[in-house]
Amino acid sequence: MDLYVYPEFEVVRNEKKCICCQACSRQCANLVHSYDEATDCMEADDSKCVNCHRCVTLCPTKALKIVKSDHTFRPNANWSQATINELYLQANSGGVLLSSMGNPQPHPSYFDRLLLNASQVTNPSIDPLREPMETKVFLGRKTPVPPLEANNTTAVPEPYNPDGTLKTEMSPQIELSMPLMFSAMSYGSISYNAHASLARAATQLGICYNTGEGGLHKDFYQYGPNTIVQVASGRFGIHADYLDAGAAVEIKMGQGAKPGIGGHLPGKKNVGQVAQTRMTPEGSDAISPAPHHDIYSIEDLRQLVYSLKEATGNRKPIIVKIAAVHNVAAIASGIARSGADIIAIDGFRGGTGAAPTRIRDNVGIPIELALACVDARLRDEGIRDDVSLVVGGSIRSSADWIKAIALGADACYIATGALMALGCHLCRSCHTALCNWGIATQRPDLVKRLNPEIGTQHLVNLVHAWQHELKEVMGGMGINSVEALRGNRLMLRAVGMTKEEMNMLGVKMAGESA
Amino acid sequence: MKKIYVREDWCLGCHLCEYYCANANLGGGDMWKNLKGKAIRPRIRVEGDNNVSFAVQCRHCDEPHCLKGCIAGAISIIEGVVSIDQNKCVGCCTCVLTCPYGCIVPTETGVMSKCELCVNNAGQAKKDKEGGIVGFIPACVQNCPNNAIVVEETEVTA
Ligand code: SF4
Ligand code: SF4
Ligand code: SF4
Ligand code: SF4
Ligand code: SF4
C-alpha cells in the first residue's frame, strides 16, 4: 500500500450558483470535475487538481473556488507539511521529485529591500507625458571590434588604427525599443500558439523574444528581426538559415532554474512539428547534455563564439547565457574575454518547464547579487563596455526591472511574467504537459485554448504598462534616458540589509546621503 | 449590417456561448437565478467534440427560407436582422423545418425564437458616456473565452 498523501487543494463549488453547465468538466484536462446524472450534480476529485484556475476563470456563475486544504499533520516547525508529503511521495516512487516554473521557496528578495530615489527641490523631475523620454537601448559590444580570429587574445583591442585614425566600425548590436526581452522558452516546452504570441508581441513592441533550444518553427522566420536564436548543448534545430534568422545568437550554457543540469524532452512529446523543428527523429528522446561536450574552458567557449560569428558573417551579436552561480563574476569576466557581445545571467528564481525540485529550490544565487558583482567586476577590470549585461530570473514587475537597470543591467529578460500574461496561473505543473491554458502542452485541443490574437494583445498591454511605469519613475528621478539610469546605483537605497549585503550590491543604506 | 462569424479553429467546445445566450434572452443579470435547475433553450448551438467544434446560430440570410415559409407573416427583416414577432407566431414550426441550419428554437410557450443578434436584449446594449444606446454586443461574442465568435460589419447585398 502506498503512503497516502492528502490532496493539497480542495475544489469548493457553491451549489446554489452552479447550473451544471459542465464548462468546468470540459475544460479541466486533469479530469477533476464530472457530472453525475443520477443526482444532477457536479462532482470533483480534489486529488487531481493542480490549482490552475482554468475552471474558476471560465465558470459562468463564478460558483467555483480552490482553497488550500486545512488538513494538517501534527504541526512541526522543522518538518513542514510540504517536506513530509514530498518524503512520502519519494518513499512511494523511489524517484527524483520533478517540478516546474521558478523557485517558490521563501528565500529573501533583494529587490523588495531596495528603494528608488526621486527628485525634490534641488533637481527637477520630468513629466514623461509632456517631455520626451528615451527608452531605446542597443545591446552589444560598445568598444572597438577585435579582429575576427579565434586565436586573438587581446581582450581590449586598440581604439586606433595603425595610422592613428580612430576606429569607427561598430560591433553588431540588437536594437530594442526598451530594455526588455522575452527570455528563452523552447518550442516543445511551450506550444506553437505561445511562441506565436511571443513572436508577434515582440515584433509589435520592437523588442526580442528567444527561441530557446528547440529550433525555430518555419512559420516564425518572418519575425526574425525580433528573434534571438539559441544554441544549446543538444544543438537542436540548428542550421545556417536558423543562425542567420535572428537578431542575435545565444549560446545557452546554463539556466537559473537548474544550473548544471541539461534538459530532457521525452520521446512522446518530441513528435510532429516539434521533432521536425528540432531536427530529431520523431519519438526519440531529445536530450540536452548538462555541459556542451565541446566546451570545458573559456578557450573552448571562445571557439564556439567565433564559429558562430563566422557562420553569421559577423553580423549578429553573440550572447552567452549562464546561470547565476557562486563564481559568477569570474565566469562572466571570462565570457567577456571570450569575444561574446552580450552576457545573459539567469538568477536562481528563473522558471523552467521541468526541473528536479531539489535543484530548482536550492542551487544558484539571487540575480540581484549576481548582477551587482558581475557589473562591479567587469568595471574593475575595465571591460564592462565590451559586453552588454542582460539579467533574468524573476523580474516580476516594472519595479524589479527598474532596480535591475539601476544595479547595472543593460536589459532584462522576462519569461514567467510573459507566460502569466498568456494565462499561466503558476500552478507549476508544466512538466505534466497538460497545461490547461494551452501554454506548456502539445495536445492540440489544449494548445487551441491560447488564441495568439488574445495572447499577443495581453503581452503588448503588459509591456506597454511597464514601459509607462519605467518612464514615470525615470521622470521622477529627473532622468530622461534609460541609458542614464543604467548602473546608477545612487538611485537605489537599501532597507533591512546587512553591511555585507549593501556592499555586495554597491548601494547605500536608506537615509544615507550620496 | 452586422453578421456573426464563428472561427472553428479557436472554438473550444466549452458550450459557454449557449449559456450566455440563454441568459441574455431571459433578461440577463445573474445567470444562476435565470438558469439554475432549468433546461436551457439557447439560440446558438455548439456542434462537434473536444477536437473540432463550432457554434451555429442564425446566418441572417439575405433571402431567408424561414421568412418565406412562415404562414403567419411573423418573420421579417428589421435593419438586416431576421426577426420573429412572437405575438404573430402561431407555433406551426414551418420555419423550424425550412431553416437549413436548424437555427429556429421553440420556446417553452410554443412560439418560436431565434438569434436576433441580441438587439432586443437591453442588457447587451452598448452605451455612450451620456447613457445613450449606440448598439448591441451579442452575448455570445462578448463572453466567448477564445474569440471564436466575432461580429463583423458586412456590406448589404442588394
Ligand atoms: S486542475 Fe485547474 S481546471 Fe482542474 S479543477 Fe483544478 S483548478 Fe480547475
Ligand atoms: S462551470 Fe461553474 S456553473 Fe458550470 S458546472 Fe462547473 S461549477 Fe457549475
Ligand atoms: S463559447 Fe466560444 S469557445 Fe466556447 S463553445 Fe462557444 S464558440 Fe466555442
Ligand atoms: S433562421 Fe435559418 S433561414 Fe432564417 S435567416 Fe436564420 S439561418 Fe436563415
Ligand atoms: S447574438 Fe445573442 S441571441 Fe444571437 S446567438 Fe448570440 S447571444 Fe444568442
Side-chain angles (χ1 to χ4, degrees), chain B residues 57-61 64-67 82 98-101 103-104 114:
Chain B
Q57 76 268 69
C58 174
R59 313 290 170 97
H60 298 278
C61 311
H65 292 290
C66 58
L67 184 152
V82 178
T98 51
C99 171
Y101 308 107
C103 293
I104 307 268
K114 66 180 290 304

Side-chain angles (χ1 to χ4, degrees), chain B residues 3 12-15 19 24 43 46 59-60 81 86 90 97-99 101 120-121 129 132 137 145 153 157:
Chain B
K3 283 213 174 179
L12 310 173
C14 67
H15 292 253
Y19 288 83
R43 301 168 186 200
V46 178
R59 313 290 170 97
H60 298 278
V81 181
Q86 294 191 328
V90 295
L97 296 173
T98 51
C99 171
Y101 308 107
N120 299 311
N121 295 331
K129 282 194 194 108
I137 167 126
E153 204 72 41
T157 41

Side-chain angles (χ1 to χ4, degrees), chain A residues 115-129:
Chain A
L115 297 173
L116 295 164
N117 194 24
S119 307
Q120 295 295 295
V121 185
T122 53
N123 48 353
S125 46
I126 302 170
D127 182 347
L129 294 177

